[in-house]
Structure formats: C-alpha cells, structure tokens
C-alpha cells in the first residue's frame, strides 16, 4: 500500500506520458511544485513557470512573432519582454532563432498555429534545452509554461506545492540537450 502523502507524486509521474518509466537515481529525490522559479539562459532572467501536465509542449511569452527565411531555412523573429523576478526589472531582447517546427493547437476559439523554437531553461541546478511554442502570454499569470515533455526530464511533480526549488545554474551546471527522437 502506498502512503497517502506519496499518492499525488506517484499519480503525477504516471500521468506524464513523457516521463521515463524509471527515474534515474539523481532524479528520484527531485520534486518540483506546480509553480517554480526558472531562469532563461544564457541571460539568467528569472521568471515564474507553471508546470502544466495538461500541456504537451512548453510555451513562452513572446511578442511581434514573425517567421522568415534565412539562407534557405525557416527562422522566427520575436521579442521577449519579461519581468525579472529576482531584480524586478524588465528584460527585453529581440531574438532570431531557427524554427524547430510548427505547432497546431485546437481549442474553443478554433485552431491556432504557433512556431516552436529550442531554448535553454534552468530549473533547480540543471539547464534543459527544451521546445517552446511562442505566443503572446501577456494576459496569463505565468510567462513560462512547462509541458509534459519538459516535466518528464525533471523528476517528480507535486501538484500540491509551489516553489520547492530555486534556479541555481552556472557555467558548470549539468546540461540536458533536447532529444529530437522523443515522441512528438
């Protein structure tokens, strides 16, 4: 019989289709809440991230999103405008990144197509290269949403708790590269 206090952790792990069948020893004791602080790398901008097991792909608040062609490849140009939770200052950055793929999202409002890029995010003491769909999340409470693909790399998700970790990544932090062979 599983003790009552561990049932939400086990359930969250089982429901995450992107979670590995067996957690590595290093991940077995890593527990994240449904809201955590994360930093976007390489800038170290601290943002609140919602860990959402109902979403497959992670999402990042981006503005002025446009796709274009560069040397025969598809790219995305966008602007980040985020409040740095650590300093309270506004971080603004114009970016151009290769388009990783397009994402079609169906909802009550119809079909929405979003560009997806690869970016680095620090959670706990590890930097993860993850897929992020870009969309204007200005009306949302959290500028960063981490979906099941990302949650599956972290460890366990305790849906009852928030802010169980602090982002603490430096140049020597472990790096988990994106795995293009993961199920889309």
């Amino acid at each position: 019989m599983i003790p009552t206090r561990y049932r939400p952790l086990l359930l969250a792990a089982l429901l995450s289709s992107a979670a590995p069948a067996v957690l590595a020893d290093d991940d077995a004791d890593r527990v994240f809440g449904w809201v955590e602080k994360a930093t976007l790398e390489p800038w170290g901008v601290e943002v609140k991230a919602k860990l959402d097991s109902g979403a497959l792909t992670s999402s990042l608040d981006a503005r002025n999103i446009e796709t274009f062609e560069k040397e025969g490849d598809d790219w995305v140009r966008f602007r980040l405008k985020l409040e740095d939770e650590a300093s309270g200052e506004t971080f603004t950055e114009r970016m151009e990144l290769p388009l990783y793929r397009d994402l079609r999202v169906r909802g009550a409002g119809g079909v929405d197509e979003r560009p997806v890029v690869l970016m680095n995010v620090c959670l706990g003491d590890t930097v993860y290269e993850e897929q992020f769909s870009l969309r204007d999340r200005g009306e949302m409470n959290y500028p960063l949403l981490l979906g099941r693909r990302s949650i599956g790399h972290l460890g366990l998700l305790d849906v009852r708790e928030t802010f169980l970790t602090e982002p603490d990544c430096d140049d020597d932090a472990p790096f988990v590269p994106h795995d293009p062979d993961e199920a889309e």
Side-chain angles (χ1 to χ4, degrees), residues 34-40 45-51 59-61 82-86 121 123 137 140-146 163 167:
W34 71 273
V35 177
E36 291 291 346
K37 290 182 182 175
T39 57
L40 292 176
V45 177
E46 186 175 280
V47 295
K48 288 181 186 174
K50 177 180 178 183
L51 282 70
S59 181
L60 178 63
D61 183 19
L82 305 166
E83 180 180 341
D84 187 329
E85 292 289 323
V121 62
L123 284 132
R137 295 182 56 83
M140 305 289 191
N141 291 328
Y142 306 99
L144 180 62
L145 181 140
L146 297 173
F163 304 112

Side-chain angles (χ1 to χ4, degrees), residues 57-98:
T57 303
S58 297
S59 181
L60 178 63
D61 183 19
R63 313 294 168 89
N64 307 111
I65 303 165
E66 61 180 288
T67 56
F68 64 100
E69 194 170 298
K70 182 176 180 178
E71 298 176 10
D73 294 320
D74 292 327
W75 282 61
V76 182
R77 180 181 296 124
F78 59 98
R79 181 175 58 91
L80 294 178
K81 184 177 180 184
L82 305 166
E83 180 180 341
D84 187 329
E85 292 289 323
S87 70
E89 295 179 11
T90 300
F91 169 81
T92 302
E93 181 81 16
R94 291 197 182 277
M95 303 187 67
E96 291 184 358
L97 292 173

Side-chain angles (χ1 to χ4, degrees), residues 46-171:
E46 186 175 280
V47 295
K48 288 181 186 174
K50 177 180 178 183
L51 282 70
D52 184 353
S53 64
L56 179 59
T57 303
S58 297
S59 181
L60 178 63
D61 183 19
R63 313 294 168 89
N64 307 111
I65 303 165
E66 61 180 288
T67 56
F68 64 100
E69 194 170 298
K70 182 176 180 178
E71 298 176 10
D73 294 320
D74 292 327
W75 282 61
V76 182
R77 180 181 296 124
F78 59 98
R79 181 175 58 91
L80 294 178
K81 184 177 180 184
L82 305 166
E83 180 180 341
D84 187 329
E85 292 289 323
S87 70
E89 295 179 11
T90 300
F91 169 81
T92 302
E93 181 81 16
R94 291 197 182 277
M95 303 187 67
E96 291 184 358
L97 292 173
L99 177 68
Y100 182 72
R101 67 183 178 98
D102 284 311
L103 174 68
R104 291 178 59 101
V105 179
R106 288 182 179 81
V111 176
D112 185 21
E113 193 162 311
R114 303 175 191 165
V116 176
V117 296
L118 295 179
M119 292 182 66
N120 296 337
V121 62
C122 168
L123 284 132
D125 64 352
T126 305
V127 176
Y128 300 89
E129 182 182 43
E130 297 292 340
Q131 295 182 41
F132 289 97
S133 70
L134 302 175
R135 72 174 290 239
D136 185 338
R137 295 182 56 83
E139 300 299 317
M140 305 289 191
N141 291 328
Y142 306 99
L144 180 62
L145 181 140
L146 297 173
R148 289 191 308 272
R149 278 194 185 97
S150 299
I151 295 169
H153 298 143
L154 300 178
L156 296 176
L157 171 60
D158 186 341
V159 297
R160 302 168 302 175
E161 300 291 335
T162 58
F163 304 112
L164 297 176
T165 66
E166 287 287 328
D168 185 24
C169 297
D170 57 21
D171 292 339

Side-chain angles (χ1 to χ4, degrees), residues 22-37:
V22 177
L23 292 173
D25 289 339
D26 293 347
D27 292 338
D29 60 343
R30 294 177 59 138
V31 180
F32 293 82
W34 71 273
V35 177
E36 291 291 346
K37 290 182 182 175

